[in-house]
Amino acid sequence: TSAHVAAGGFKISVSLPQDDFVTKYEAELVGRAADSRIDLALLKLPEEAAELLPPLELADSDALRTGSFLIAMGHTSGLRGAVSLGILSGRGKAMTMGVPAASGDEAQSEEKVGQESTEDKPLYLVTDAAFAGGMSGGPLLDHAGRVVGINTLVRPELRGIGNYAISSNVAMKAIEDIVARASSPELPSSIKLVLYNDRFNTRARVSTQLQAAGLSAADAEEAMLAAHQTGRGVIREFESVEEAEEMRAKLAAADLLVEVMRV
């Protein structure tokens, strides 16, 4: 599923269509993608739930051609099993979290905020198959019903073609890394404090609280924008868990949704 769906501070439960979504199964979070640009989390279900789920086949997302038919699936608010149809409109690279400039540089700010990085290989499939709230983490399928992407985010300024899904090839590498890290007894190579987007705090309040915790204005804006645009943003990397937990406690006391990640 999407990492922002499995945000820290919440219990994760899964319900299935086999009994009309009545039974709730508690899911275990195996881990999240180490790269914060990849909004992906891996869950482990109880055996009795997993046995009810026929797996979907993964396809090579690199083999898709622009114009290929795509099907987006998910459980949008109030509508179970929503499906939309579209095509592959293009491929998107990692979003750069530009910081709005001062009023004198408004034109420059508009160009930077939300632009795509030109340095990275495309992470996303871009489609006009509609994504609605609640479809994050759902599959994006090809014409044969194989998974070619994971529904992730919507860019409203792109109108109908602003629907982004992590490509299956990128997702598989991220999942393999999550499993490897979860299976390794070695200590993590880095410790990150992560901020999640929520429905209650305004952008201004989040930025203010981050600065109060010791971040510069630029770093606070960058973390806030990353959380707002992709679901989560890295606040800072630490050398010790104690240092990360100290800042986490301060921000949690200020009602921000934060979590210490070991990657």
Side-chain angles (χ1 to χ4, degrees):
T1 188
S2 296
H4 72 266
V5 173
F10 293 94
K11 289 185 178 180
I12 305 170
S13 62
V14 175
S15 54
L16 305 175
Q18 281 79 352
D19 64 352
D20 200 25
F21 305 99
V22 173
T23 305
K24 294 186 181 297
Y25 302 93
E26 185 172 339
E28 174 188 344
L29 177 66
V30 178
R32 302 182 185 87
D35 188 338
S36 60
R37 300 170 304 172
I38 301 175
D39 186 23
L40 190 67
L42 181 63
L43 305 180
K44 181 179 180 180
L45 296 180
E47 186 174 346
E48 61 269 26
E51 289 177 346
L52 298 174
L53 290 174
L56 291 172
E57 181 183 350
L58 283 171
D60 179 6
S61 54
D62 289 345
L64 286 175
R65 301 178 63 181
T66 302
S68 299
F69 283 108
L70 296 175
I71 304 165
M73 299 184 67
H75 297 293
T76 187
S77 301
L79 185 62
R80 294 292 192 180
V83 178
S84 62
L85 177 67
I87 63 170
L88 178 63
S89 304
R91 297 177 188 269
K93 298 180 181 178
M95 304 296 292
T96 57
M97 302 308 165
V99 178
S103 58
D105 296 321
E106 288 180 355
Q108 182 179 3
S109 171
E110 290 176 359
E111 291 177 358
K112 289 184 178 179
V113 177
Q115 278 189 346
E116 296 175 349
S117 166
T118 58
E119 300 176 357
D120 305 303
K121 180 181 178 180
L123 302 178
Y124 300 100
L125 302 179
V126 185
T127 178
D128 64 351
F131 294 175
M135 293 180 73
S136 294
L140 185 68
L141 310 174
D142 66 9
H143 69 284
R146 299 172 300 183
V147 178
V148 292
I150 298 175
N151 307 336
T152 303
L153 61 89
V154 176
R155 291 181 60 188
E157 75 275 13
L158 294 182
R159 306 286 179 169
I161 60 170
N163 306 296
Y164 279 52
I166 298 171
S167 70
S168 58
N169 289 2
V170 170
M172 275 308 303
K173 290 180 181 179
I175 290 170
E176 290 170 357
D177 177 64
I178 292 171
V179 172
R181 285 188 286 112
S183 305
S184 174
E186 299 178 358
L187 292 174
S189 58
S190 67
I191 300 165
K192 297 179 180 180
L193 182 60
V194 178
L195 170 72
Y196 291 96
N197 191 35
D198 65 68
R199 301 179 181 179
F200 308 104
N201 287 296
T202 64
R203 297 190 197 183
R205 185 179 186 279
V206 171
S207 183
T208 298
Q209 295 300 327
L210 290 175
Q211 291 179 60
L215 271 68
S216 67
D219 288 344
E221 286 288 309
E222 183 174 359
M224 178 275 294
L225 283 173
H228 179 75
Q229 295 179 358
T230 67
R232 61 175 177 157
V234 175
I235 296 172
R236 181 177 289 175
E237 293 193 20
F238 296 86
E239 294 184 357
S240 71
V241 174
E242 292 75 18
E243 290 177 326
E245 283 292 346
E246 182 179 355
M247 181 174 282
R248 185 205 63 78
K250 290 180 181 178
L251 294 172
D255 292 327
L256 297 192
L257 193 54
V258 290
E259 182 181 25
V260 174
M261 284 184 59
R262 303 183 181 193
V263 297

